[in-house]
Amino acid sequence: MLVIWISKFYITTPIYYVNDKPHLGHANTNIIADILARWHRLKGDNVFFLTGSDEHGEKIERAASKAGKTTKEFVDEEVNKFKIAWKKLNISYDYFIRTSDANHEFAVKEFIKKLNENNDIYKSKYRGWYCIYDESFWTDLELKNSKCPECGREVEILEEDAYFFKLSKYQDRLLDFYNQKKDFIIPEYRAREMINRIDKGLKDISITRSAIKWAIQFPLDSNQYIYVWIDALVNYISALNWPEKEKFDLFWPPDVQVIGKDINWFHSVIWPCLLFSAKIELPRKILVHGWWTVNNEKMSKSKGNAIDPIEITDKYSADILRYFLIREKPLDEDGDFSEEKLISRINGELVSDLGNLIYRVLSLAEKIQSAENIKFEGIPELNDKLDINKIDNAIENLNLNLGLSIIWQFIRDSNKYINEKKVWELEGKDLSNALYNLLESCRIISILIYPFMPETADKIAQQLNTKIDFNECRFSEKQFMGKIKKGDYLFKKIDKK
Ligand code: MSP
């Protein structure tokens, strides 16, 4: 019997609070995950790409009552804003989880029971600083100028009966784990930030609240509700129908969990310790990205400065936004968004490099494809300029920005080839050789850019009458005779504002 080994690739995004509408920051996280999911699908992996919505908690309860709706009505409506945005941006998720789903609630309760079986839960009194906005508790030491260190808002003292999880018990095990798996948190300096904080001593965390009603009931005490962050983290296993085994065994553990730097503590410290306690294998990689700002300020609903990814998509295109967010900065760094920068990338790289290459090559090819004794064949001279392994390594190492720049260098080299060879002046065998090289380059480019810009890749493949097939991502014996149909320019130059 022939056994074909297909690797699985499980990738997750954070689940978004539905009281906000999707902004550029959220789009950025999902675009990163989408590119990785598409790259792995292209390579033939069995991909499970998860995104979703975080629907419980006080913030959402308040937003609903402000809107004059029941909380359930409110979340049912709000969640669509995310689904619409992801559709516009071509986010190819396989499953959208909502924390108000019945099977999620069930899994959360089962998860708590597991922690309890392991003697990791106890009842005590909680007293501490609480930021309603971030739904986070802070110690005196952590506060910044007596305010929430995350968002700068006022915090309030909260004292109540609560159940605690023995986070402290796992301090050494977690540090050992980090030590053995140096690439667990990417980039590495984000691991160092966690270690510095852990070295000050991990404290147990309260995992229930008594005041909130819009939350999952705590299975060990009906007067208590589960703290929203614990509920939210469990989405990564409940989406695989845990504790049922079938799907879970197929995809667990996540190969990459994409998150923003603000929620690294939850994902790289609390989440692994919860998994230790539940005796579930840890994720393979946590990819921590930086933030997008506007005029160097944090984007937020209250400041009213959030960039709407749907507006940008309608004005330019989903591919343009996807390209810009990945090309403009290395993933881990922060970056300041402006339309001027976006326009300059459109004019400089999308129009002049990619658009121009495709238009020039297809114009030349279309003109001669009906000529009788010309064949598109020759020696793959441009092959030397292409290193697929280097691109694959960059993407496998989660350096999308580098992967895209290597692809771009190949696009530029292909344009250079046209100019240096003066292809428009060539005839006979020389012409057929040059066009073979250029058509094959365009076809390979369509495959390589597909995860980043799926619509553009499809347009190129259509004009060439070829398919986006990773197995064919190399110079080969393709014949394009009689099949090429040049389309419009892929991108239009935009006047500077
Ligand atoms: N609900 C939690 C996540 C729970 S996951 C178990 C949450 N939601 S969020 O909607 O506030 O943020 C989700 C993601 O968006 C985070 O990864 C965050 O870093 C990202 N971004 C929010 N604003 C951002 C920018 N301005 N720039 C880049 N990403 C940012 O946290």
Side-chain angles (χ1 to χ4, degrees):
M1 193 176 73
L2 179 70
V3 180
I4 300 173
W5 176 255
I6 298 176
S7 326
K8 66 93 187 172
F9 184 74
Y10 178 28
I11 182 158
T12 70
T13 73
I15 47 173
Y16 300 92
Y17 292 128
V18 284
N19 56 317
D20 223 348
K21 62 175 194 169
H23 63 52
L24 190 85
H26 306 138
N28 174 66
T29 311
N30 273 28
I31 288 170
I32 293 168
D34 187 62
I35 292 168
L36 288 166
R38 284 176 187 268
W39 183 258
H40 281 267
R41 279 194 209 107
L42 207 56
K43 285 173 64 180
D45 290 348
N46 186 13
V47 172
F48 191 71
F49 171 15
L50 175 70
T51 191
S53 53
D54 195 350
E55 301 186 359
H56 288 128
E58 210 162 338
K59 254 197 287 188
I60 286 159
E61 216 172 354
R62 283 188 196 178
S65 83
K66 213 170 133 195
K69 293 181 181 147
T70 69
T71 321
K72 182 69 178 134
E73 269 168 11
F74 178 74
V75 293
D76 282 349
E77 274 173 34
E78 295 299 297
V79 73
N80 288 324
K81 293 184 187 158
F82 285 85
K83 290 189 172 169
I84 291 167
W86 303 152
K87 193 154 191 233
K88 276 234 151 194
L89 290 165
N90 290 316
I91 305 298
S92 60
Y93 60 82
D94 295 293
Y95 189 63
F96 190 103
I97 185 150
R98 300 180 56 186
T99 53
S100 60
D101 290 342
N103 67 332
H104 171 75
E105 292 202 10
F106 174 75
V108 172
K109 289 179 180 169
E110 290 301 303
F111 190 77
I112 295 287
K113 287 184 204 160
K114 283 255 172 233
L115 309 186
N116 194 42
E117 278 165 24
N118 205 26
N119 290 322
D120 283 340
I121 293 182
Y122 63 92
K123 191 174 181 183
S124 182
K125 282 243 177 285
Y126 179 77
R127 190 184 146 80
W129 296 109
Y130 185 62
C131 169
I132 295 174
Y133 185 81
D134 282 317
E135 318 220 29
S136 302
F137 284 93
W138 304 101
T139 61
D140 283 339
L141 276 180
E142 286 165 342
L143 295 184
K144 254 195 206 146
N145 306 322
S146 310
K147 303 233 166 91
C148 170
E150 221 32 88
C151 68
R153 289 181 172 77
E154 296 288 340
V155 285
E156 48 192 67
I157 278 281
L158 212 80
E159 185 178 275
E160 58 178 21
D161 278 346
Y163 288 80
F164 283 72
F165 169 67
K166 291 184 191 165
L167 190 67
S168 58
K169 178 172 155 186
Y170 293 102
Q171 174 159 341
D172 294 342
R173 188 160 163 200
L174 183 63
L175 289 172
D176 274 355
F177 178 81
Y178 283 174
N179 219 354
Q180 277 161 30
K181 280 216 64 189
K182 299 277 189 223
D183 62 348
F184 176 57
I185 306 173
I186 294 191
E188 216 195 319
Y189 65 83
R190 293 282 175 210
R192 262 176 272 130
E193 286 173 3
M194 295 298 107
I195 294 168
N196 289 342
R197 229 171 120 181
I198 297 168
D199 280 344
K200 290 185 185 133
L202 267 190
K203 290 213 180 76
D204 295 347
I205 49 165
S206 89
I207 55 165
T208 66
R209 303 283 176 269
S210 57
I212 322 167
K213 292 287 168 296
W214 180 246
I216 301 175
Q217 206 171 44
F218 190 57
L220 314 175
D221 180 341
S222 58
N223 292 320
Q224 294 276 337
Y225 292 85
I226 297 167
Y227 170 43
V228 68
W229 260 102
I230 305 297
D231 161 3
L233 287 165
V234 173
N235 92 84
Y236 302 127
I237 59 171
S238 69
L240 298 177
N241 297 333
W242 183 89
E244 261 175 42
K245 285 174 77 62
E246 199 185 335
K247 205 167 183 184
F248 187 76
D249 285 352
L250 199 59
F251 289 108
W252 192 263
D255 295 271
V256 184
Q257 300 211 267
V258 185
I259 58 160
K261 61 179 184 176
D262 53 318
I263 55 176
N264 194 19
W265 181 257
F266 291 102
H267 284 82
S268 297
V269 177
I270 296 178
W271 179 223
C273 293
L274 290 169
L275 291 172
F276 282 146
S277 173
K279 301 187 166 53
I280 297 175
E281 193 180 338
L282 264 51
R284 296 207 167 117
K285 278 183 183 150
I286 307 284
L287 173 61
V288 188
H289 66 69
W291 275 51
W292 282 100
T293 53
V294 187
N295 298 321
N296 294 312
E297 280 193 29
K298 191 170 166 174
M299 250 180 269
S300 79
K301 198 176 180 180
S302 51
K303 284 196 198 114
N305 63 351
I307 302 285
D308 181 349
I310 298 192
E311 262 174 41
I312 301 286
T313 301
D314 286 342
K315 196 162 166 191
Y316 302 98
S317 75
D319 276 6
I320 286 177
L321 179 61
R322 291 169 67 105
Y323 174 79
F324 176 80
L325 291 178
I326 302 303
R327 190 73 210 267
E328 182 67 14
K329 70 172 185 68
L331 212 141
D332 61 306
E333 288 175 17
D334 290 346
D336 200 51
F337 178 85
S338 76
E339 261 183 89
E340 282 76 17
K341 288 186 198 163
L342 182 89
I343 290 171
S344 128
R345 295 245 173 226
I346 296 175
N347 291 346
E349 290 157 11
L350 295 175
V351 174
S352 306
D353 297 337
L354 180 59
N356 206 16
L357 174 71
I358 303 297
Y359 198 81
R360 286 165 94 191
V361 173
L362 273 96
S363 303
L364 284 162
E366 203 179 44
K367 231 184 269 167
I368 67 153
Q369 71 178 343
S370 49
E372 266 174 25
N373 42 17
I374 296 267
K375 279 200 158 194
F376 296 127
E377 60 185 12
I379 308 150
E381 295 162 330
L382 270 166
N383 198 18
D384 296 348
K385 303 282 179 199
L386 179 69
D387 190 342
I388 309 258
N389 284 337
K390 219 166 146 192
I391 298 166
D392 186 40
N393 280 342
I395 299 176
E396 288 286 337
N397 290 327
L398 309 176
N399 194 340
L400 301 184
N401 178 268
L402 176 64
L404 195 50
S405 3
I406 306 173
I407 298 171
W408 230 258
Q409 192 50 50
F410 182 59
I411 295 172
R412 289 185 174 149
D413 286 338
S414 303
N415 266 323
K416 214 162 129 199
Y417 180 90
I418 304 184
N419 298 340
E420 282 175 2
K421 288 232 160 194
K422 297 201 169 105
V423 175
W424 57 93
E425 288 178 1
L426 298 178
E427 283 176 21
K429 260 203 149 69
D430 292 341
L431 178 61
S432 82
N433 180 52
L435 276 169
Y436 160 75
N437 271 280
L438 290 165
L439 286 166
E440 277 295 84
S441 298
C442 291
R443 186 180 62 76
I444 292 167
I445 287 163
S446 77
I447 302 169
L448 293 173
I449 64 166
Y450 169 79
F452 299 88
M453 293 190 280
E455 289 175 1
T456 306
D458 279 339
K459 277 188 204 160
I460 301 172
Q462 248 169 40
Q463 294 186 28
L464 291 168
N465 203 353
T466 56
K467 287 208 170 65
I468 308 280
D469 179 355
F470 196 73
N471 294 320
E472 296 278 329
C473 197
R474 62 195 147 81
F475 282 84
S476 62
E477 300 295 312
K478 278 265 158 310
Q479 261 305 330
F480 294 90
M481 291 305 286
K483 294 183 188 163
I484 287 159
K485 220 179 165 323
K486 176 170 64 77
D488 287 342
Y489 285 107
L490 292 173
F491 303 98
K492 290 200 181 75
K493 208 170 172 110
I494 314 249
D495 289 335
K496 287 238 156 75
K497 292 204 294 184

